[in-house]
Amino acid sequence: MMDATAFHGIHGIVYALFDAGEKLDRVAMRRQVECCLASGVHGMAALGLATEVSKLTFDERVAVMEWTAEDVAGRVPLGFTIFGGSVAEQIAQVRAAEQNRADWVILQPPMVGSFGAGEYISFFGRIAEATRLPVGIQNAPAYMGRGLTADEIAELVTRYPNIRLLKGEGPATDIRGVIERTQGRVPVFNGRGGLELIDNLRAGCAGLILAPDVIDHAVRAYDAFRAGDEAEAERIYQTILPAIVFVMQSVESLICYGKRLFAARAGLTVHDRGPALRPTAFGLELVERFARELGPLGR
């Protein structure tokens, strides 16, 4: 079991890539992991919002775990987001993650009902107590409609020591508040497609978990920042910011256009699993332009 404090950097989280029949495409999924690893990512993850986890059956989620673990082959830390509406459902997926060599798991709040903070804290805690893996919590109220405050997160990690990481989805100012309230006891990762990438690092984030559309540039920006060259880190970030803003208008936009931007850079074709946001002709023009400006990925 890895020490959670060793987790850092840019972690790639995979898109769900489908074939023309709307089935998961094994070859394309392998290509995606290879592109991320070739970009120098510091970790890999799967089954988050970018992976359209709510559209996948339980067996498909397990298949994504198996494929990602096979393709990563222990070269970088591997995390799986755990989705489900009950403690039992999430624990079953944690067991699958354990069997597929996960280094950590990230628990999503149940997407059913609406409860107080105490209920969510108890929900997360019961699952965390069922595994020896380091556990992270995905706190994304803007995208998921539910979440915890900085004070509630501080209570959560105090009550359940096995909760050793946090996956936030919010402004750098909010993330800084969480880091301060938890007194730096747990590594905090942000996402949001890389928005405020450098300011997140200044706020104290251990890193970011990003879909792979601009992953290679994000890795270079992170590495420059960690080497003390903030000017270079900012320069790289400024080159990718227009593309990030384009794809991060919503989760649906990320899945529609972010996936297509990645595919255009990686030489893949996108097939949607409906229901899905469909691209407009102008949106595809923007994808083509950003792909050309950012250059090929993994080639």
Side-chain angles (χ1 to χ4, degrees):
M1 184 172 61
M2 295 188 67
D3 180 359
T5 60
F7 296 163
H8 74 93
I10 304 299
H11 291 219
I13 187 159
V14 299
Y15 286 116
L17 301 177
F18 302 106
D19 62 20
E22 298 193 12
K23 295 181 179 179
L24 286 169
D25 187 327
R26 176 68 182 104
V27 173
M29 294 293 283
R30 178 181 291 119
R31 169 69 176 155
Q32 182 174 201
V33 173
E34 290 171 347
C35 286
C36 290
L37 293 174
S39 298
V41 294
H42 307 89
M44 286 296 302
L47 298 176
L49 296 174
T51 321
E52 298 171 76
V53 63
S54 64
K55 290 185 183 179
L56 305 181
T57 67
F58 184 90
D59 288 346
E60 286 176 323
R61 294 173 211 157
V62 173
V64 169
M65 291 184 186
E66 293 172 349
W67 296 350
T68 310
E70 178 182 347
D71 297 338
V72 171
R75 285 175 282 183
V76 295
L78 175 61
F80 294 123
T81 299
I82 304 300
F83 171 89
S86 70
V87 169
E89 183 180 3
Q90 292 212 7
I91 288 177
Q93 289 172 79
V94 169
R95 294 288 175 259
E98 292 169 339
Q99 293 167 8
N100 284 286
R101 297 169 283 168
D103 295 297
W104 62 308
V105 291
I106 308 160
L107 309 183
Q108 282 191 353
M111 298 303 291
V112 292
S114 181
F115 311 104
E119 188 70 23
Y120 287 119
I121 289 172
S122 175
F123 179 89
F124 290 137
R126 290 167 63 191
I127 300 164
E129 289 179 330
T131 182
R132 293 182 65 250
L133 288 175
V135 173
I137 300 299
Q138 181 163 17
N139 197 52
Y143 297 136
M144 305 180 74
R146 60 203 67 212
L148 299 173
T149 67
D151 286 340
E152 290 160 355
I153 291 170
E155 178 184 351
L156 177 68
V157 300
T158 298
R159 286 176 55 181
Y160 300 100
N162 198 37
I163 297 177
R164 305 177 191 175
L165 301 107
L166 295 172
K167 170 64 164 63
E169 299 278 0
T173 51
D174 291 354
I175 295 298
R176 178 57 178 254
V178 171
I179 292 170
E180 289 174 346
R181 286 295 293 118
T182 56
Q183 300 176 324
R185 287 178 292 166
V186 294
V188 177
F189 286 80
N190 206 343
R192 296 207 306 162
L195 287 171
E196 299 183 291
L197 193 160
I198 308 304
D199 284 336
N200 277 302
L201 300 178
R202 292 182 179 126
C205 279
L208 291 91
I209 302 176
L210 308 176
D213 31 287
V214 298
I215 197 84
D216 49 340
H217 296 276
V219 168
R220 292 195 296 110
Y222 173 84
D223 287 344
F225 182 89
R226 199 169 192 196
D229 192 347
E230 290 194 26
E232 175 63 6
E234 283 281 10
R235 186 196 66 77
I236 297 169
Y237 173 62
Q238 289 169 14
T239 66
I240 60 176
L241 181 56
I244 295 172
V245 172
F246 165 58
V247 303
M248 283 306 300
Q249 298 300 312
S250 65
V251 173
E252 291 77 15
S253 177
L254 172 68
I255 292 168
C256 175
Y257 292 114
K259 186 190 292 190
R260 283 171 169 81
L261 178 55
F262 159 72
R265 301 186 64 211
L268 295 170
T269 300
V270 170
H271 301 281
D272 295 311
R273 173 179 283 188
L277 176 67
R278 307 295 178 168
T280 66
F282 180 59
L284 292 175
E285 288 179 19
L286 295 178
V287 167
E288 182 180 355
R289 175 166 64 83
F290 284 125
R292 185 172 59 251
E293 292 173 354
L294 293 168
L297 180 61
R299 287 185 262 171

